[in-house]
Amino acid sequence: MARPSAVAIRRALHRIRDPRTASSALVHHYRSRRRPSPALLPDHPPHPPHPYMRALGLVAVVLLGAWLGLLVVGSVRTPVGPMDTRMTLRPSVSGGTKINVSPLGALELDSHTAPIRLDVDVDRLDPIRSRALVDHPERLSGLQDEVARDVEHGTLDLAVRSCVAVVSGATALGLAVYRRPRRALAAGGLALALLAASGGTAYATWNPDSVLEPKFSGLLSSAPSVVGNARSIVTEFDVYQRELARLVTNVTKLYDVTSTLPTYRPDPSTIRVLHVSDIHLNPASWKIIASLVEQYRISVIIDTGDTMDHGSAAENAFLDPIRGLGAPYVWIRGNHDSRTTQKYLSSRKRFKNVRVLDEGRAVTVAGLRIAGTGDPQYTPDRSTQDLGDPAEHMAGIRLASALRDQRAAGTPVDIALAHNPTAARETDGAVPLVLAGHIHRQRMEVLPLGTRLRIEGSTGGSGLRAVDDKYPDPVEASVLYLDSTTKRLQAWDEIRLGGLGLTKAEVSRHLPKENRPGATPSPATSDSASPGPR
């Protein structure tokens, strides 16, 4: 081993003695140990994120977290009058209010301009609160104020819950993204400020008149054409409210009346026809009809139209009880029934017991050959012109032609149906019996050529029209008794249920002149109106 020279030893001792040289050597040695290998150095040194990008990321976290919070916990369930509703705030570009009435559709109001939209979902009609209104109709007078209070309380509750929802959602998402409590709290505070600013904008741009110009969707889209201008409904709300109270009172009375109807026991071979008409959306009518079917052992029900009030698709569910009436149901369209109503009832899959007649079509039900035509006019449609009696005359002429064609084919018709008596009178001489409605008054008359015209009153007590006078109109229906062999009318019972304050039922028996004791058949009735050989 070589021994170090004296010169090298002296140099080393000099470096140790010189403190500057020693410190620099130590620093160099330390840095050399910490310096990474050149192969591990990046091509470009890292740069901190741009302030704009950091702000944009924070805004994204705030918006997404606030939306998730509203989606999970940002809704309240609150009663509004007799309805149970759910109110929710949703992010939106244009704002506004959307009222969802399942399954009928939705109603959109341009109520405010802000980045939030108020959604109101009508879940159901509470049976207890609804029944309380039926039993105590005087409560309807305060229903408007009650609804206003319910909406106010629900909105305040929704505002508090929405604040908690957006702060919680934005804070939780900020903590998950940044993993720093300070950043997470900043996101929550920014979300709360954003909601407050949106609420202030909505309050500043609130438009209470938006209810006068709603936008309908779904089944409710037909409402403007059949209801008319919404402004009239709002301005005349007090009138509608009084009418509704009186109608509900009338319906309650009718439910109590039906169980006391007297029973008639005809000959077992007699065909019993229940003639109803102009129900006009009165829900009590179905209970009355079902009671009559059971007590009179009805063979077939004939409805000569105006079952609806506006004929909108939203009213179709009102027809569903027909399936459970316990008898075949023959129906023609009235001037308040639309083609949509007719199509709904024509579904054999939905209504197995219903036969819809139009344009002179004939069917055989309960041993009777029945033909009819729908009313040519749909008067609730404000966009079309009322053509009046000329259109009814033409419809009756076409029906009479179809009746004569049936006779020529060897399948004569026993009963013809037309909603308007003007159309029904055109069938004189082509059929023994024609049934109609429309005028809301019971009447029986023999036409010049021997055809007997039976006009039915309103089985719905005229619906909302019942309140035009001091007392609601009576509910009227008829039971027609036809011979099972000749298919001729033998007798009829006129049934009248008293209106408001008259909780009684009246049934009067009537016989055609030729069927009264000691009478001889009228030549006009037996020959001219005869549909020919059977």
Side-chain angles (χ1 to χ4, degrees):
M1 179 176 180
R3 299 176 61 184
S5 62
V7 177
I9 293 174
R10 284 196 300 269
R11 289 177 178 175
L13 292 175
H14 176 72
R15 290 173 180 173
I16 294 173
R17 293 190 186 101
D18 189 352
R20 292 175 299 176
T21 305
S23 62
S24 61
L26 290 174
V27 170
H28 176 74
H29 174 72
Y30 178 75
R31 286 180 176 176
S32 64
R33 293 184 61 185
R34 291 179 56 89
R35 185 179 297 123
S37 172
L40 301 178
L41 291 175
D43 295 337
H44 302 285
H47 295 286
H50 196 278
Y52 289 146
M53 295 301 296
R54 287 202 303 267
L56 184 61
L58 180 61
V59 171
V61 168
V62 169
L63 293 178
L64 181 60
W67 180 78
L68 291 175
L70 288 176
L71 189 64
V72 176
V73 295
S75 63
V76 297
R77 294 187 178 276
T78 181
V80 176
M83 300 176 295
D84 290 335
T85 67
R86 182 166 60 91
M87 297 183 178
T88 310
L89 287 181
R90 291 282 183 258
S92 172
V93 177
S94 58
T97 299
K98 184 176 182 180
I99 304 173
N100 299 302
V101 187
S102 179
L104 303 182
L107 179 68
E108 296 183 19
L109 307 177
D110 189 16
S111 57
H112 60 276
T113 303
I116 53 174
R117 185 187 71 199
L118 174 62
D119 286 356
V120 181
D121 297 322
V122 179
D123 291 338
R124 69 187 185 102
L125 192 67
D126 185 83
I128 298 178
R129 298 197 298 273
S130 302
R131 184 62 189 173
L133 288 176
V134 173
D135 294 337
H136 304 282
E138 66 276 3
R139 296 183 182 179
L140 288 171
S141 59
L143 184 60
Q144 186 179 12
D145 295 335
E146 179 184 349
V147 169
R149 289 193 300 269
D150 291 340
V151 171
E152 181 180 357
H153 293 161
T155 304
L156 292 176
D157 191 8
L158 178 63
V160 174
R161 183 179 289 266
S162 298
C163 289
V164 175
V166 298
V167 170
S168 302
T171 302
L173 186 60
L175 191 61
V177 172
Y178 298 115
R179 301 181 182 276
R180 295 181 182 179
R182 183 175 298 178
R183 285 281 186 90
L185 292 176
L190 185 58
L192 182 61
L194 181 62
L195 180 63
S198 300
T201 304
Y203 180 80
T205 59
W206 182 256
N207 177 23
D209 293 334
S210 61
V211 70
L212 302 178
E213 298 178 355
K215 179 182 178 182
F216 299 92
S217 62
L219 295 180
L220 294 179
S221 59
S222 61
S225 63
V226 299
V227 176
N229 190 349
R231 185 180 300 273
S232 64
I233 298 177
V234 175
T235 56
E236 299 176 13
F237 179 80
D238 291 337
V239 177
Y240 285 98
Q241 185 172 259
R242 288 195 301 270
E243 291 181 352
L244 180 61
R246 297 170 69 177
L247 177 62
V248 169
T249 303
N250 189 28
V251 170
T252 305
K253 298 294 185 182
L254 294 179
Y255 269 86
D256 296 334
V257 166
T258 55
S259 61
T260 63
L261 290 176
T263 302
Y264 172 73
R265 301 183 184 276
D267 184 273
S269 65
T270 302
I271 301 175
R272 295 168 292 277
V273 177
L274 177 61
H275 183 198
V276 300
S277 190
D278 297 86
I279 292 175
H280 286 293
L281 285 180
N282 188 338
S285 299
W286 302 130
K287 184 176 179 65
I288 294 169
I289 292 172
S291 176
L292 292 172
V293 168
E294 180 181 359
Q295 295 187 46
Y296 284 79
R297 300 169 60 187
I298 295 299
S299 306
V300 57
I301 305 167
I302 294 180
D303 186 343
T304 47
D306 273 6
T307 313
M308 303 302 224
D309 211 27
H310 297 113
S312 66
E315 298 171 338
N316 283 344
F318 172 77
L319 301 169
D320 291 344
I322 292 177
R323 291 175 292 194
L325 293 178
Y329 199 94
V330 180
W331 182 88
I332 60 168
R333 186 181 66 252
N335 62 295
H336 281 266
D337 304 315
S338 66
R339 298 280 180 176
T340 302
T341 306
Q342 180 167 313
K343 182 178 179 181
Y344 185 80
L345 266 179
S346 298
S347 172
R348 293 301 303 276
K349 184 177 180 181
R350 184 182 294 112
F351 298 99
K352 296 181 179 180
N353 64 322
V354 174
R355 299 292 183 272
V356 175
L357 304 182
D358 196 9
E359 300 297 335
R361 176 175 175 247
V363 295
T364 301
V365 182
L368 295 172
R369 188 74 173 162
I370 307 172
T373 188
D375 197 292
Q377 304 184 87
Y378 173 46
T379 54
D381 190 351
R382 305 296 197 268
S383 63
T384 60
Q385 182 180 2
D386 188 352
L387 300 178
D389 286 348
E392 302 295 340
H393 283 297
M394 289 303 301
I397 291 172
R398 290 193 297 269
L399 176 58
S401 177
L403 296 175
R404 295 186 180 95
D405 290 342
Q406 289 282 338
R407 179 192 300 178
T411 56
V413 171
D414 303 309
I415 302 177
L417 311 179
H419 176 68
N420 195 310
T422 301
R425 288 187 173 92
E426 296 294 336
T427 66
D428 188 14
V431 68
L433 177 64
V434 59
L435 306 182
H438 186 63
I439 64 174
H440 295 197
R441 292 190 306 274
Q442 291 180 331
R443 182 182 301 175
M444 181 74 83
E445 59 183 272
V446 178
L447 301 177
L449 297 180
T451 293
R452 185 176 294 274
L453 170 61
R454 172 62 187 176
I455 304 174
E456 192 52 74
S458 173
T459 312
S462 301
L464 284 176
R465 293 158 186 76
V467 298
D468 290 343
D469 300 324
K470 185 177 181 180
Y471 296 108
D473 291 344
V475 169
E476 296 177 323
S478 298
V479 177
L480 312 177
Y481 303 99
L482 285 81
D483 186 271
S484 58
T485 303
T486 64
K487 309 300 190 298
R488 295 298 190 268
L489 182 67
Q490 301 297 308
W492 72 93
D493 288 345
E494 293 184 353
I495 300 170
R496 168 180 288 216
L497 305 183
L500 180 63
L502 301 175
T503 55
K504 65 178 181 179
E506 298 177 350
V507 177
S508 57
R509 170 65 48 77
H510 302 270
L511 298 175
K513 291 182 178 180
E514 62 272 18
N515 288 350
R516 293 175 186 174
T520 57
S522 170
T525 322
S526 59
D527 298 332
S528 301
S530 174
R534 299 184 177 276

